[in-house]
């Protein structure tokens, strides 16, 4: 995309940003509650949680004042007692603020009731179940401190739920009571559990799928004879649904067998349609609008092999490819991918036409890191700086990566790390020898109600002459996901005629902060820097800075940025990108 030289475009975007900043956060008019006195933030928060004035108009009729008063006092007393205050004094007053009634609740909490003793007893098989012991430890009962009803309620609920979920069919709370002596200002908590015998998983029945039993059984998270745990039922259902083979999965526990002390389980699977069509659209400043079309066979055979073929077309890149996937011993974590593709790419810095074919062995480790061992054949014809050449390479490689986030589409905290090594050698039927290491990472975390995003990309290539490498192996910088403010792949070492030819090494980074102005719209400011280069002594960092807006679409953030170089005279550039942050 060309530099923005028309001031009307920049003015238009600036006006749009000002309008978004000026958007008010509308809320329904209702009486407001103000709390004064000696109530702590926690106590005030509990009062507000129980006192709901949103049902009343901003200026309620005089006849409703008595009802509002009774509601506030009753609910406030309930909230205070839940926090251990049984001798509170409350007073109410009202006034008007901005034409709306404001209720002021003055709170004198009085002395607190102290939790003097907690009598927690677990008998039966659960006495030796570490999960129950951990439940009691995690409850952190405030012995000798202010009584908090929610601690009793939460522990009671958790004990009951775990009796059911962990197979204690005959388990029950034989005694449960919270006794409060307001005269002595003391409380006693009593919870006695008799779990009885823990049942095991019984017979497992699986029906409804044409896939082989060996593949289906690999998704089971439990076996017959193991201690029952409903968490494993849920994990098994999620594993089946995540496999992509099934459109519906129904997991049910049957009637417990009291004589055998077992709980049978039935699983009903509904196979997905064998064939599915793939379609997608997208856009970015780097590639322009793009369209993706394809077809997938989810079950080539009863062993669960998959086949996919697709094509993608954009202004910069046109290509087609196919892949064949074979699940291995642990289909959730281990697979073999065979793939081939053809790509024709034309950018301002290079033209290249490449065909690749290869295989990837992919394993997800127990610690959630993913390893990919690959072998790729690359044949590429390319033109850079008016020089045309062709390369044929056999490239072994190994990659280690992991993504962790608290939300897959719009996380408030998360990170992504990836590192890769690949090489080729003339003695292995290649036209060039090289060794290349790459690493990239991104971390985001909350700050001041918004998010900080930090990104870094590094690359190192050991090669005699960078011109021996095809265009797809060289490093370029600049663009939507590199150094904004510069055109796509416009940064890097240059030939004598001034055209970018790409470099051996790469170092780029970004620091960004985005802040919500509404639920769906965010404003962002950022600075990027870096370059591609051949020698560390010649590394010349190029810097940029800018601002943008973000729209939280159902498919992920859509980003619109304005950026410009900070150390040279350049025009503002517009950058559009979309997709998940990690």
């Amino acid at each position: 995309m060309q530099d923005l030289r028309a001031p009307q475009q920049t003015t238009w975007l600036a006006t749009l940003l000002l309008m978004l900043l000026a958007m008010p956060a509308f809320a329904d008019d209702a009486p407001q509650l103000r709390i004064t006195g000696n109530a702590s933030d926690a106590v005030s928060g509990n009062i507000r949680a129980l006192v709901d004035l949103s049902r009343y108009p901003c200026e309620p009729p005089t006849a409703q004042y008595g009802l509002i008063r009774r509601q506030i006092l009753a609910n406030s007393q309930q909230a205070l007692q839940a926090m251990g205050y049984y001798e509170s004094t409350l007073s109410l007053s009202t006034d008007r603020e901005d034409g709306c009634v404001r209720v002021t609740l003055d709170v004198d909490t009085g002395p607190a009731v102290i939790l003097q003793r907690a009598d927690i007893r677990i008998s039966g098989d659960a006495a030796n179940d570490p999960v129950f012991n951990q439940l009691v430890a995690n409850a952190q009962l405030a012995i000798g401190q202010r009584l908090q009803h929610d601690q009793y309620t939460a522990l009671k609920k958790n004990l009951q739920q775990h009796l059911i979920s962990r197979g204690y069919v005959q388990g029950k709370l034989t005694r449960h009571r919270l006794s409060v002596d307001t005269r002595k200002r003391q409380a006693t908590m009593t919870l006695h559990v008799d779990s009885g015998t823990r049942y095991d998983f019984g017979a497992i029945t699986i029906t409804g799928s044409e896939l082989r039993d060996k593949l289906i059984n690999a998704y089971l998270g439990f076996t017959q004879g193991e201690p029952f745990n409903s968490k494993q039922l849920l994990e098994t259902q999620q594993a089946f649904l995540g496999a992509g083979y099934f459109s519906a999965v129904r997991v049910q526990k049957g009637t417990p067998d009291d004589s055998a002390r077992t709980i049978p389980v039935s699983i009903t699977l509904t196979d997905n349609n064998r064939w599915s069509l793939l379609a997608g659209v997208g856009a970015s400043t780097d590639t322009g609008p793009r369209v993706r079309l394809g077809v997938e066979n989810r079950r080539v055979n009863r062993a669960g092999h998959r086949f996919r073929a697709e094509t993608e077309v954009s202004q910069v890149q046109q290509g087609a490819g196919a892949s064949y996937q074979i699940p291995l011993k642990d289909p959730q974590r281990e697979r073999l991918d065979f793939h081939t593709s053809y790509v024709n790419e034309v950018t301002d810095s290079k033209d290249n036409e490449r065909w690749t074919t290869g295989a990837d062995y992919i394993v997800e480790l127990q610690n959630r890191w993913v390893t990919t061992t690959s072998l790729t054949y690359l044949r590429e014809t390319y033109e850079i700086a008016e020089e045309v050449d062709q390369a044929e390479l056999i490239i072994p490689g190994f990659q280690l990566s992991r993504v962790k986030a608290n939300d897959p589409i719009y996380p408030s905290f998360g990170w992504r790390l990836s590192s890769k090594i690949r090489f080729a050698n003339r003695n292995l039927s290649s036209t060039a020898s090289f060794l290349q290491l790459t690493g990239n990472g991104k971390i985001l975390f909350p700050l001041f109600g918004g998010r900080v995003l930090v990104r870094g990309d590094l690359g190192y290539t050991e090669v005699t002459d960078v011109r021996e490498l095809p265009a797809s192996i060289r490093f370029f910088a600049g663009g939507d996901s590199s150094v904004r403010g510069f055109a796509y792949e416009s940064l890097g070492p240059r030939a004598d005629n001034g055209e970018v030819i790409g470099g051996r090494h790469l170092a780029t980074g970004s620091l960004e902060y985005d802040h919500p102005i509404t639920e769906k719209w965010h404003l962002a400011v950022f600075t990027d820097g870096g370059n591609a280069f051949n020698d560390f002594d010649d590394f010349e960092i190029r810097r940029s800075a800018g601002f943008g807006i973000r729209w939280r679409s159902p498919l992920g953030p859509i980003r619109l940025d304005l950026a410009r170089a900070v150390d040279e005279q350049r025009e503002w550039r517009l950058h559009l990108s979309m997709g998940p942050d990690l």
Side-chain angles (χ1 to χ4, degrees):
M1 182 173 178
Q2 299 300 316
D3 288 344
L4 292 180
R5 303 186 184 277
Q8 291 87 350
Q9 291 177 299
T10 304
T11 303
W12 173 85
L13 186 58
T15 302
L16 175 61
L17 292 174
L18 289 174
M19 291 173 61
L20 291 172
L21 282 171
M23 291 175 61
F26 293 104
D28 293 333
D29 290 337
Q32 301 299 307
L33 177 64
R34 185 166 69 104
I35 299 176
T36 61
N38 66 349
S40 66
D41 290 342
V43 173
S44 296
N46 204 40
I47 293 173
R48 292 184 184 279
L50 291 183
V51 176
D52 179 18
L53 299 181
S54 62
R55 70 185 70 176
Y56 300 108
C58 187
E59 294 191 31
T62 305
Q64 287 188 337
Y65 274 67
L67 177 62
I68 295 174
R69 178 184 179 85
R70 289 192 297 273
Q71 177 202 346
I72 293 175
L73 291 176
N75 290 345
S76 298
Q77 288 287 3
Q78 181 183 350
L80 286 160
Q81 290 180 8
M83 301 294 286
Y85 296 105
Y86 281 76
E87 301 176 60
S88 303
T89 302
L90 304 176
S91 61
L92 278 176
S93 62
T94 61
D95 59 6
R96 279 177 171 76
E97 185 177 76
D98 297 330
C100 195
V101 170
R102 181 175 65 174
V103 179
T104 299
L105 175 67
D106 187 74
V107 179
D108 179 1
T109 59
V113 171
I114 303 302
L115 180 60
Q116 192 69 22
R117 187 167 66 93
D119 181 13
I120 314 296
R121 302 181 190 179
I122 300 175
S123 59
D125 285 357
N128 299 316
D129 189 335
V131 170
F132 280 81
N133 296 326
Q134 193 63 43
L135 278 178
V136 177
N138 290 344
Q140 297 180 342
L141 303 177
I143 307 299
Q145 301 179 31
R146 172 174 57 83
L147 171 67
Q148 299 179 60
H149 285 220
D150 61 328
Q151 291 185 335
Y152 167 79
T153 304
L155 181 56
K156 176 184 174 182
K157 181 180 179 181
N158 284 334
L159 290 170
Q160 291 173 317
Q161 288 178 338
H162 279 72
L163 286 173
I164 298 171
S165 66
R166 295 183 66 78
Y168 297 99
V169 175
Q170 299 171 350
K172 58 183 178 180
L173 291 175
T174 58
R175 190 175 181 188
H176 51 94
R177 185 177 181 182
L178 181 61
S179 302
V180 178
D181 187 334
T182 55
R183 184 177 60 84
K184 294 182 179 180
R185 299 178 184 135
Q186 294 179 351
T188 301
M189 184 185 301
T190 303
L191 286 169
H192 292 179
V193 177
D194 182 4
S195 70
T197 303
R198 186 177 184 182
Y199 285 32
D200 297 327
F201 282 108
I204 303 169
T205 305
I206 304 177
T207 58
S209 177
E210 65 178 30
L211 292 173
R212 290 178 183 171
D213 292 343
K214 181 179 179 180
L215 176 62
I216 291 175
N217 290 336
Y219 288 95
L220 286 175
F222 55 90
T223 59
Q224 185 174 344
E226 288 184 358
F228 183 85
N229 188 344
S230 61
K231 180 181 178 181
Q232 292 175 288
L233 292 181
L234 178 60
E235 290 174 348
T236 296
Q237 184 181 40
Q238 292 173 338
F240 277 120
L241 288 172
Y245 296 119
F246 313 106
S247 61
V249 178
R250 186 178 182 184
V251 180
Q252 289 183 304
K253 63 179 182 179
T255 302
D257 184 338
D258 293 333
S259 59
R261 297 290 193 271
T262 60
I263 302 175
V265 175
S266 64
I267 302 175
T268 304
L269 305 172
T270 302
D271 284 339
N272 243 328
N273 293 329
R274 186 182 298 273
W275 290 94
S276 67
L277 295 176
L278 308 173
V281 295
S284 71
T285 317
D286 291 346
T287 63
R290 60 182 180 271
V291 178
R292 179 175 63 91
L293 296 173
V295 63
E296 181 181 24
N297 186 329
R298 298 187 179 100
R299 299 187 313 280
V300 175
N301 51 36
R302 295 186 66 228
H305 294 193
R306 289 187 175 98
F307 171 78
R308 172 183 289 200
E310 58 186 323
T311 181
E312 183 172 307
V313 178
S314 70
Q315 291 177 331
V316 169
Q317 184 172 288
Q318 305 82 43
S323 65
Y324 191 90
Q325 184 182 110
I326 302 174
L328 299 178
K329 183 177 181 181
D330 184 352
Q332 296 183 74
R333 300 179 180 273
E334 186 181 16
R335 70 179 187 270
L336 189 62
D337 282 1
F338 297 95
H339 53 84
T340 186
S341 66
Y342 167 81
V343 174
N344 182 54
E345 184 180 23
V346 179
T347 71
D348 292 340
S349 56
K350 67 178 186 291
D351 295 357
N352 73 90
E353 185 179 20
R354 59 185 183 269
W355 177 66
T356 62
T357 186
D360 297 338
Y361 174 54
I362 303 170
V363 179
E364 181 181 336
L365 307 177
Q366 293 294 329
N367 58 11
R368 300 297 178 88
W369 286 86
V370 177
T371 66
T372 302
T373 305
S374 61
L375 182 64
T376 303
Y377 169 77
L378 168 67
R379 179 172 182 171
E380 181 172 339
T381 302
Y382 56 96
E383 179 181 355
I384 298 180
E386 300 180 354
E387 293 186 7
V388 179
D389 207 343
Q390 187 178 79
E392 289 190 54
L393 302 173
I394 294 177
I395 308 173
F398 180 80
Q399 181 173 336
L400 182 66
S401 62
R402 187 181 175 187
V403 177
K404 184 176 182 180
N406 58 6
D407 185 274
I409 297 179
Y410 198 85
S412 60
F413 178 83
W415 52 267
R416 166 181 54 81
L417 288 174
S418 177
S419 62
K420 184 175 183 178
I421 181 172
R422 58 179 178 173
F423 66 92
N425 192 283
R426 286 189 175 89
N427 296 325
L428 298 176
S429 301
S430 296
T431 57
S433 296
F434 76 92
L435 172 67
Q436 189 173 81
L437 296 89
T438 57
N440 59 77
K442 191 172 186 179
I443 184 172
L444 58 88
F445 54 89
L447 182 68
F448 303 137
R451 304 183 309 163
V452 174
L453 299 89
V454 182
R455 169 181 55 83
D457 295 276
L458 299 172
Y460 172 85
T461 310
E462 186 66 43
V463 66
T464 304
D465 188 345
V466 72
R467 289 173 297 183
E468 297 178 1
L469 298 178
S472 62
I473 303 294
R474 305 184 195 185
F475 291 117
F476 299 82
D480 301 338
S481 58
S482 180
V483 183
R484 285 163 288 188
F486 295 89
Y488 179 53
E489 295 191 346
S490 64
L491 297 179
R494 297 179 180 272
D496 293 338
N497 62 3
E499 294 187 22
V500 177
I501 62 172
R504 292 185 179 94
H505 316 310
L506 175 75
T508 63
S510 176
L511 176 63
E512 180 173 319
Y513 178 74
D514 78 38
H515 194 85
I517 52 176
T518 70
E519 182 180 358
K520 296 293 185 181
W521 292 92
H522 292 228
L523 281 179
V525 293
F526 58 85
T527 179
D528 298 342
N531 209 337
F533 55 100
N534 281 325
D535 300 297
F536 290 97
D537 292 340
D538 297 331
F539 177 51
E540 180 184 1
I541 188 169
R542 308 297 288 274
R543 299 178 179 85
S544 66
F547 60 95
I549 56 175
R550 310 283 182 262
W551 177 49
R552 294 179 59 177
S553 77
L555 300 179
I558 296 178
R559 310 170 192 87
L560 186 65
D561 293 324
L562 268 179
R564 65 176 296 179
V566 298
D567 51 2
E568 54 190 282
Q569 294 298 320
R570 283 179 176 260
E571 299 295 330
W572 289 92
R573 289 190 62 86
L574 182 67
H575 293 273
L576 172 67
S577 61
M578 55 195 306
D581 290 306
L582 295 175

